[in-house]
Amino acid sequence: DDGGCTHTPSATDWGTGLTEADAELRALGGCLSLRSTGTGLELSASVPANATAADAFAAYTSVPRRIDQLLARCTPMMRSVTWFQSTTCLLTARRARSAVAHALLFSGLVAIDRVWYRRAADDRRRAATMLPAIGLLWPAGGRPATGWPGLELVAQGARGRSDIAALTGLAFVATAASARRVRGSLERGRLVENVAFPVVCALTGLAAAAVRRSLARAEREVLGLRERAELIERLAGAVKLRHAVIEPLRGTEGWWERGIMESAEGQRLLSLSERIDVLTAELLGLIAVPDPVRDIVDHLRLRLDPVTVGVRGDWPASAPRSEREPALKRAREQLAATALAEELANQLVARFPPTLAGRSRLQSVHLDIDPLGEHELRVTVRPLSDDGTPGQYDLVRLKATLASMSGRLLTVFDAGGFGFAVPTAVLVAR
């Protein structure tokens, strides 16, 4: 500067360094400004005083919960309509007295069912008692009240009840017994249609439950990876801000020779640097997993529920960490454990898919972890199944996932287990 006449360039004329630094600051809610002073150009950087990662998922409602909420809102209305439809079906009986008697008896059973539900909503005996009782109501020459049992079977199947096959059997047997009693008053097609209706409704509920599980699984994968990926991006922004703006300024000659460090602006810059360091540490703390092995086990339990998942072996509880080690490198190592857990769950589900009724073929899964050389750990996955091995592993995908974290597949056992090796850093807290 030769007298305070230095031209102040606009933001459109900034070079790559200033432009990238401004973008990093704006990503954190701040900005970069440049103005001319009597002695030269003054560069100012501002960020929010409490720049912390926002919780983007605080108000999020999971897909399974939203499905449950939708069913809870729709089912009462559907029950009212189904009661009316079933009553009109019973009133089509050949004799008016029989029609009225069946309609009144049906309404009484529905009232008992609703009172029972309000007093003990989770009592499994309610459906097992009311389904066959209502299934027996079929007047001669008329239509049965299969709509009400059908709605109950759809609702129970959609909620994934383990005894849905037994409930369907009870409803089927009761309806078939009624059909046999009135077979002389109706054509064969009408009898078959109503006897098969409970089975169709149960299969519809099971299909809805399968879709619900698929959505829940996909949601857990997407949200878990998305949330951690967003934290990584915020961490990267803070680190880049420090290295792109503050460190170059503190490395100039003017910082030391012209007293900038002792000035008010210099102290503000030092304070900003400390705040960024704190922010980086906070974000890294949100990403870091205190016990990666435990995190993998918990993830498998979530994905494979209700399968028992256990771990045993010998591996270091923690590893030394250098303060000069790049924060992003440590964060990527932590995310590798999550990616590994997700891939293990995918492989086990592919090899041991659930039955048509949604029951898991797996009884338990055990992880054996042992040292393999100085810098690797060997992990042996031992699944125990009581229903064969109808599926197969996707070895190409498994090898690709392991390769992404510098690991490798060691062996695949005939009984369904497999072993692999990964760097110690993936499974040891840092």
Side-chain angles (χ1 to χ4, degrees), residues 228 281-298 315-321 330-331 333-335 337-338 424-430:
R228 292 194 176 190
E282 289 179 355
L283 291 177
L284 185 59
L286 291 173
I287 296 171
V289 179
D291 188 347
V293 173
R294 178 55 55 190
D295 190 60
I296 290 176
V297 172
D298 291 342
W315 65 93
S318 61
R321 175 176 62 84
R330 301 201 305 272
E333 289 174 350
Q334 298 292 347
L335 289 180
T338 301
T424 303
V426 174
L427 300 179
V428 176
R430 302 294 293 274

Side-chain angles (χ1 to χ4, degrees), residues 61-78:
T61 303
S62 65
V63 170
R65 183 175 293 277
R66 277 182 282 175
I67 293 177
D68 291 340
Q69 293 173 350
L70 179 63
L71 287 175
R73 290 195 302 267
C74 295
T75 302
M77 294 184 292
M78 294 174 65

Side-chain angles (χ1 to χ4, degrees), residues 229-411:
E230 287 188 359
L231 290 175
I232 280 288
E233 292 303 320
R234 292 188 177 99
L235 177 63
V239 173
K240 288 180 180 179
L241 174 64
R242 190 178 192 280
H243 288 281
V245 178
I246 299 176
E247 291 300 323
L249 290 177
R250 293 176 62 179
T252 61
E253 295 182 359
W255 176 262
W256 304 99
E257 296 178 358
R258 301 183 181 180
I260 297 179
M261 182 178 67
E262 291 82 5
S263 66
E265 290 78 7
Q267 291 302 310
R268 289 177 59 191
L269 191 61
L270 287 176
S271 177
L272 175 62
S273 177
E274 293 175 357
R275 289 179 180 273
I276 292 177
D277 290 340
V278 171
L279 173 63
T280 304
E282 289 179 355
L283 291 177
L284 185 59
L286 291 173
I287 296 171
V289 179
D291 188 347
V293 173
R294 178 55 55 190
D295 190 60
I296 290 176
V297 172
D298 291 342
H299 191 87
L300 289 176
R301 287 172 178 168
L302 176 67
R303 283 288 311 276
L304 304 177
D305 182 62
V307 178
T308 301
V309 181
V311 60
R312 59 193 173 191
D314 181 21
W315 65 93
S318 61
R321 175 176 62 84
S322 172
E323 293 299 329
R324 300 178 64 86
E325 185 180 8
L328 292 180
K329 179 177 181 294
R330 301 201 305 272
R332 292 189 182 100
E333 289 174 350
Q334 298 292 347
L335 289 180
T338 301
L340 177 61
E342 189 62 36
E343 183 59 29
L344 292 180
N346 290 337
Q347 294 293 335
L348 290 170
V349 171
R351 182 62 186 269
F352 304 96
T355 63
L356 291 177
R359 187 179 65 86
S360 175
R361 288 187 168 91
L362 280 170
Q363 287 183 335
S364 62
V365 175
H366 291 281
L367 306 180
D368 295 336
I369 305 178
D370 300 292
L372 183 65
E374 296 183 3
H375 305 292
E376 286 186 316
L377 290 174
R378 175 174 52 209
V379 181
T380 304
V381 182
R382 302 184 185 277
L384 178 62
S385 173
D386 61 350
D387 194 13
T389 55
Q392 59 183 357
Y393 292 126
D394 185 351
L395 296 181
V396 174
R397 178 173 172 175
L398 178 59
K399 290 178 180 179
T401 301
L402 292 171
S404 68
M405 57 189 72
S406 302
R408 65 187 190 279
L409 183 66
L410 298 178
T411 183

Side-chain angles (χ1 to χ4, degrees), residues 8-355:
T8 303
S10 63
T12 56
D13 298 326
W14 287 357
T16 303
L18 288 178
T19 302
E20 291 182 351
D22 183 59
E24 298 295 343
L25 283 165
R26 291 184 182 279
L28 294 175
C31 64
L32 189 70
S33 62
L34 192 66
R35 69 184 184 90
S36 178
T37 66
T39 58
L41 292 175
E42 180 184 85
L43 179 67
S44 302
S46 63
V47 292
N50 298 307
T52 56
D55 185 1
F57 305 95
Y60 182 80
T61 303
S62 65
V63 170
R65 183 175 293 277
R66 277 182 282 175
I67 293 177
D68 291 340
Q69 293 173 350
L70 179 63
L71 287 175
R73 290 195 302 267
C74 295
T75 302
M77 294 184 292
M78 294 174 65
R79 289 192 185 279
S80 301
V81 174
T82 304
W83 169 82
F84 178 78
Q85 179 266 342
S86 298
T87 302
T88 57
C89 286
L90 294 172
L91 290 175
T92 61
R94 180 180 300 171
R95 294 185 301 172
R97 182 176 297 180
S98 175
V100 173
H102 278 81
L104 291 176
L105 181 57
F106 169 70
S107 297
L109 290 175
V110 168
I112 294 173
D113 178 78
R114 292 297 85 200
V115 172
W116 193 342
Y117 176 80
R118 289 188 178 91
R119 292 186 175 181
D122 298 328
D123 192 344
R124 292 175 175 266
R125 296 173 298 176
R126 178 187 62 83
T129 302
M130 304 308 298
L131 283 174
I134 295 178
L136 292 172
L137 298 179
W138 193 337
R143 297 181 65 90
T146 52
W148 187 273
L151 176 60
E152 185 70 30
L153 289 171
V154 170
Q156 298 292 349
R159 291 184 174 90
R161 277 191 57 161
S162 58
D163 58 348
I164 184 64
L167 295 177
T168 305
L170 290 172
F172 176 82
V173 170
T175 308
S178 297
R180 181 178 179 83
R181 176 170 48 81
V182 300
R183 65 183 183 276
S185 61
L186 293 171
E187 62 272 17
R188 181 179 177 84
R190 181 67 58 83
L191 296 173
V192 173
E193 170 193 350
N194 287 280
V195 170
F197 188 70
V199 178
V200 174
C201 291
L203 292 176
T204 302
L206 290 175
V211 172
R212 184 180 184 274
R213 287 193 300 271
S214 298
L215 290 173
R217 181 169 59 252
E219 182 185 40
R220 286 196 297 267
E221 296 176 12
V222 172
L223 286 184
L225 295 177
R226 175 184 172 186
E227 184 177 16
R228 292 194 176 190
E230 287 188 359
L231 290 175
I232 280 288
E233 292 303 320
R234 292 188 177 99
L235 177 63
V239 173
K240 288 180 180 179
L241 174 64
R242 190 178 192 280
H243 288 281
V245 178
I246 299 176
E247 291 300 323
L249 290 177
R250 293 176 62 179
T252 61
E253 295 182 359
W255 176 262
W256 304 99
E257 296 178 358
R258 301 183 181 180
I260 297 179
M261 182 178 67
E262 291 82 5
S263 66
E265 290 78 7
Q267 291 302 310
R268 289 177 59 191
L269 191 61
L270 287 176
S271 177
L272 175 62
S273 177
E274 293 175 357
R275 289 179 180 273
I276 292 177
D277 290 340
V278 171
L279 173 63
T280 304
E282 289 179 355
L283 291 177
L284 185 59
L286 291 173
I287 296 171
V289 179
D291 188 347
V293 173
R294 178 55 55 190
D295 190 60
I296 290 176
V297 172
D298 291 342
H299 191 87
L300 289 176
R301 287 172 178 168
L302 176 67
R303 283 288 311 276
L304 304 177
D305 182 62
V307 178
T308 301
V309 181
V311 60
R312 59 193 173 191
D314 181 21
W315 65 93
S318 61
R321 175 176 62 84
S322 172
E323 293 299 329
R324 300 178 64 86
E325 185 180 8
L328 292 180
K329 179 177 181 294
R330 301 201 305 272
R332 292 189 182 100
E333 289 174 350
Q334 298 292 347
L335 289 180
T338 301
L340 177 61
E342 189 62 36
E343 183 59 29
L344 292 180
N346 290 337
Q347 294 293 335
L348 290 170
V349 171
R351 182 62 186 269
F352 304 96
T355 63

